[in-house]
Amino acid sequence: MSSFRFLVDVNVGIAVANSLRGGGHDVVFAGELDWCMADADLLSLAHQERRIVLTMDTDFGGLVYRSQQSHAGVLLLRMPGATRHEKIGVVQEIIHHYGDQLPEHFCVYQQGRLRVRP
């Protein structure tokens, strides 16, 4: 399995970030930088560092598609109320089955399905 570079948003949680680190991925947790960093700044930092943003915040869709902000990949989890264990399991499955599609794409996971958009 390939190793990826992620920027994990605070709404996804430190447990997911630590799980990814344990899996050999290069991970920055947004809460370790600035708990209140604006989404546009997170996306810009991730792009500069060639990191895939892992988030539960739908505002990233607007930044990518309406504002045309550059990115190195976004994985949006649409899992309201999910536990940390559920998020960890889903992220591991996505990386295992679709990891090569994450870089440079906007991916949305919802109700057991992953949509990959350019």
Side-chain angles (χ1 to χ4, degrees):
M1 180 176 76
S2 298
S3 176
F4 296 98
R5 295 171 55 87
F6 288 99
L7 192 156
V8 177
D9 200 352
V10 293
N11 56 30
V12 175
I14 189 71
V16 175
N18 288 336
S19 172
L20 288 167
R21 287 174 177 145
H25 302 284
D26 181 342
V27 178
V28 170
F29 178 59
E32 296 166 344
L33 302 173
D34 179 354
W35 279 93
C36 300
M37 186 179 289
D39 294 341
D41 295 336
L42 276 177
L43 193 58
S44 178
L45 176 64
H47 181 250
Q48 290 170 10
E49 295 186 359
R50 308 304 304 155
R51 294 182 183 279
I52 299 163
V53 174
L54 178 53
T55 187
M56 295 182 77
D57 186 344
T58 58
D59 291 345
F60 282 91
L63 291 171
V64 169
Y65 292 104
R66 280 194 298 279
S67 301
Q68 300 288 304
Q69 189 167 339
S70 298
H71 65 93
V74 175
L75 174 54
L76 171 62
L77 302 178
R78 302 286 307 263
M79 302 174 61
T83 68
R84 71 182 75 156
H85 299 293
E86 290 168 332
K87 290 185 272 187
I88 289 168
V90 163
V91 170
Q92 287 174 346
E93 283 294 309
I94 290 170
I95 291 170
H96 179 74
H97 292 291
Y98 305 101
D100 60 331
Q101 297 178 49
L102 298 177
E104 309 300 328
H105 291 99
F106 191 94
C107 303
V108 180
Y109 175 85
Q110 185 174 24
Q111 297 177 337
R113 297 187 59 216
L114 183 71
R115 287 182 294 140
V116 180
R117 299 171 60 184

